Amino acid sequence: MSSSAPPVSENRATRSLFTEPGEPGRQLWRAAGEAVSAGALVLLSYQAVSAVDARLGAVWAAVALGAVGIALMLVRRRYPVTSVVGLAALMGVVPSVALLTAVAAYTATRQLRTPRRQVGVLLAAAASAMLTGAAFAPVLGLGSRLFGLALAAVFAVTTVVVPGLVGTAAGQSDRLLRALRERAAAAEEARRLADSESRMRERSRIAAEMHDLVGHRLSLVSLHAGGLEMALLKEAPELRDEAAVVRRATRDAMQELREVLGVLGPLGGEPGIGALTDATGTRADVEALVEESRAGGIPAELVWEGPDLDARPARVRRAVHRVVRESLTNVHRYAAGAHVTVAVRHIGERVEVRVRNGAPPTRPPVATGLGSGRGLTGLRERVALLGGGLEAARTPGGGFGVTADLPADPGPGTETVEAAPYDSGPVAVDEPGRLSVLQRRIAVAVTGLLGLVGLGAMTLFGVLLVDHSRYDLAYRNPEPPRVGMTREQVQRAVAPDDVASRAAAAGREPPRPRSATDCMYPYTDAKSAHGRLALVRYCFRSDTLIAIDRFTVPVVTEPHGGRGTHD
């Protein structure tokens, strides 16, 4: 119990505001870099929408709200929902945090797993952006709430919905890739265990065969030594002890052989394995295997080149027997009816066994192809222990071939050679692992930067379209302004008071009515036939419109003066 406590406390201590659940470390350097990048994005966005942010009333208000936006962006991994909804609401007041909202929306939807939560977060963020945009549009001097709603809708689509959809796709891709890697690792582990089991079973068979062969010989030696001991009891008593020593040594050797071979596996035989004799692996034995396959409906033929193997060591003959038998068994199982050629070539000090089958006339019942390769793994282990090699592969005609190359006389000690592991199938390779961590981070940063540039261009294009229809959305009124209207009626019918228009009219406007208490100068970009800027001035006494003055001012610096009419 005490040993498990430190890791838990350590995991709790490493929790940070700048990391997602399960991510190690505090990631302070990453947070610092993101803060600097976020500040740069806010400044660039501020330059693009400075006309809106300037209406916040004071520079410190814009700076404070921008700092709040940066803070929300930094904690997006720890609190994704709060971050994206908060930034979306703030975007309706400070449009310069629009790109930060896009980053938070991408991170939140990529981190969230269920589609319901992803859709809910995107809808909540888009709704909060449009609500705050519509509510604060008159306060910021943008016009009516309808125009603020349209402008906020553009920001919501380009900086919330689009990045959110991209983040959803990226999150699904990450989870799918992680699941595929885990599945590939599990399949590779299962294959490795199956191959290991096949090798152990083959070693157990080899141990049983060695026990039967060598034990039989040692039993004969022990029997003859006992007989010699009994015969020397009367004729040569002085040699009786020597015969007794030979008998005891043979018995001890038999016991040690059992102990050593017992390490490789149980010495009991397995069901389905025929008895192995001194004739195993000879030409007659191989012919019997081929004839058995013919009886089972397999058109098989035997090609033998060179002398018989009866004079070769038993372990070589048994290996030849196992290669032929396992190959023919696979043909019966996976290529029933295919023509098989068994070729044994015994030339010099090498024995080569080749078993080739053509394409089966009918599709094999097993959908995985021509076998799992586990039996071949055991054969490869047996052949490798004798110092040989085995190859198994498909043939160009759609069949399968097994080739074993064995030494005719392996020599002593070759059974202890450890076979190299064999991979019977392709190993899943993690392609991203070829790149270094720095290269991957640079690639991610460049991709993110290009994405932000694209979103910025999309947002700017949408804002321009909404601004182009500015007066159709916000200021068109069926009843044009006329003397006697209230201030509220005039404000609904025309554009809001514009600082630039007021400055352009200074010193060039006609005299104001004496009873006017104040005047407003709506924004306009209309020009007269002479290239001068056409302005309209609405003067009020208290809250009642008393005069409408239309006049023009030069676009460039000219001598003061202007032409105008007075209603």
Side-chain angles (χ1 to χ4, degrees):
M1 296 294 293
S2 60
S3 60
S4 60
V8 174
S9 61
E10 182 180 353
N11 292 337
R12 291 179 178 176
T14 57
R15 295 179 62 181
S16 173
L17 293 175
F18 313 118
T19 59
E20 61 182 279
E23 187 177 5
R26 297 182 179 276
Q27 303 293 341
L28 297 180
W29 286 107
R30 183 180 66 181
E34 291 179 350
V36 174
S37 302
L41 288 177
V42 171
L43 290 178
L44 291 176
S45 303
Y46 178 80
Q47 296 297 326
V49 294
S50 57
V52 176
D53 288 346
R55 293 186 176 94
L56 288 175
V59 177
W60 64 266
V63 173
L65 293 178
V68 172
I70 294 176
L72 288 174
M73 194 275 296
L74 292 179
V75 298
R76 69 188 187 280
R77 294 184 179 88
R78 189 66 180 174
Y79 306 103
V81 177
T82 303
S83 175
V84 66
V85 175
L87 279 170
L90 188 62
M91 181 176 58
V93 183
V94 187
S96 57
V97 300
L99 295 182
L100 302 186
T101 307
V103 175
Y106 173 83
T107 304
T109 53
R110 184 174 183 175
Q111 185 174 337
L112 297 176
R113 294 182 176 274
T114 59
R116 180 179 299 179
R117 294 193 64 188
Q118 293 170 345
V119 173
V121 168
L122 292 181
L123 291 179
S128 62
M130 290 187 290
L131 288 177
T132 55
F136 285 89
V139 178
L140 298 176
L142 295 178
S144 67
R145 288 184 171 85
L146 180 61
F147 177 76
L149 180 63
L151 188 64
V154 172
F155 281 106
V157 171
T158 56
T159 63
V160 176
V161 177
V162 173
L165 295 178
V166 175
T168 300
Q172 292 177 349
S173 177
D174 291 342
R175 289 187 286 273
L176 177 60
L177 182 59
R178 190 181 303 113
L180 290 177
R181 288 177 179 173
E182 293 176 354
R183 182 176 299 179
E188 180 67 17
E189 180 66 16
R191 186 200 62 82
R192 187 187 65 80
L193 294 176
D195 289 350
S196 177
E197 181 183 358
S198 298
R199 281 192 286 268
M200 292 303 297
R201 292 178 60 185
E202 189 63 25
R203 291 181 182 184
S204 298
R205 294 191 184 117
I206 295 172
E209 294 171 10
M210 292 177 64
H211 175 268
D212 295 340
L213 177 64
V214 181
H216 175 67
R217 302 299 185 186
L218 290 178
S219 297
L220 291 178
V221 173
S222 179
L223 179 62
H224 288 294
L228 181 60
E229 182 182 359
M230 295 297 295
L232 293 177
L233 180 60
K234 296 179 180 181
E235 298 182 4
E238 66 278 3
L239 297 178
R240 177 178 175 274
D241 293 338
E242 297 295 334
V245 171
V246 173
R247 182 175 56 82
R248 288 194 299 269
T250 304
R251 184 188 59 189
D252 295 340
M254 187 66 180
Q255 182 63 29
E256 291 175 359
L257 178 64
R258 287 179 176 271
E259 294 176 358
V260 172
L261 295 182
V263 177
L264 295 178
L267 299 179
E270 295 184 7
I273 299 179
L276 301 178
T277 65
D278 291 342
T280 300
T282 61
R283 183 167 183 170
D285 178 61
V286 176
E287 287 178 348
L289 291 175
V290 174
E291 183 61 29
E292 184 181 353
S293 294
R294 290 197 194 103
I298 300 295
E301 62 174 340
L302 173 64
V303 178
W304 191 287
E305 182 179 355
D308 202 346
L309 296 176
D310 52 357
R312 292 302 180 181
R315 56 184 183 274
V316 175
R317 289 185 281 110
R318 281 167 167 73
V320 172
H321 174 90
R322 287 299 306 279
V323 170
V324 175
R325 189 181 67 183
E326 182 69 27
S327 301
L328 292 176
T329 301
N330 287 338
V331 173
H332 280 272
R333 184 178 302 171
Y334 305 113
H339 184 270
V340 183
T341 300
V342 179
V344 180
R345 188 170 180 266
H346 180 200
I347 303 297
E349 297 299 323
R350 305 298 296 181
V351 178
E352 182 182 16
V353 182
R354 289 186 296 177
V355 181
R356 297 283 190 275
N357 66 272
T362 59
R363 185 179 181 86
V366 181
T368 54
L370 295 177
S372 62
R374 297 181 182 178
L376 297 176
T377 302
L379 288 182
R380 183 168 286 102
E381 175 79 5
R382 173 183 289 268
V383 173
L385 287 173
L386 296 177
L390 185 139
E391 295 181 359
R394 298 178 184 270
T395 59
F400 201 80
V402 178
T403 302
D405 185 16
L406 298 166
D409 189 5
T414 52
E415 292 85 354
T416 60
V417 178
E418 182 67 24
Y422 167 69
D423 293 331
S424 60
V427 179
V429 179
D430 188 6
E431 293 294 337
R434 297 181 179 179
L435 299 175
S436 65
V437 177
L438 179 60
Q439 288 175 324
R440 290 202 301 271
R441 289 182 178 178
I442 292 176
V444 171
V446 172
T447 304
L449 181 60
L450 293 178
L452 288 177
V453 171
L455 283 177
M458 186 187 305
T459 304
L460 182 60
F461 181 72
V463 170
L464 290 177
L465 289 179
V466 173
D467 186 67
H468 183 71
S469 58
R470 180 186 186 100
Y471 301 109
D472 293 336
L473 290 174
Y475 304 114
R476 175 172 294 180
N477 194 299
E479 184 179 4
R482 56 180 176 79
V483 175
M485 281 186 170
T486 64
R487 183 187 298 271
E488 183 178 357
Q489 292 175 334
V490 175
Q491 288 178 345
R492 287 199 302 265
V494 301
D497 191 24
D498 185 64
V499 177
S501 299
R502 184 182 294 273
R508 301 181 179 89
E509 59 183 326
R512 293 185 179 184
R514 294 182 179 179
S515 59
T517 56
D518 64 321
C519 299
M520 61 177 297
Y521 301 80
Y523 170 83
T524 182
D525 56 357
K527 294 182 180 180
S528 65
H530 302 284
R532 297 166 66 88
L533 183 65
L535 298 178
V536 180
R537 184 184 65 188
Y538 299 92
C539 294
F540 299 88
R541 182 173 58 245
S542 297
D543 287 333
T544 304
L545 180 63
I546 61 173
I548 303 176
D549 299 300
R550 296 178 174 84
F551 56 96
T552 60
V553 297
V555 177
V556 295
T557 304
E558 293 183 4
H560 292 288
R563 297 174 298 173
T565 61
H566 181 71
D567 292 343

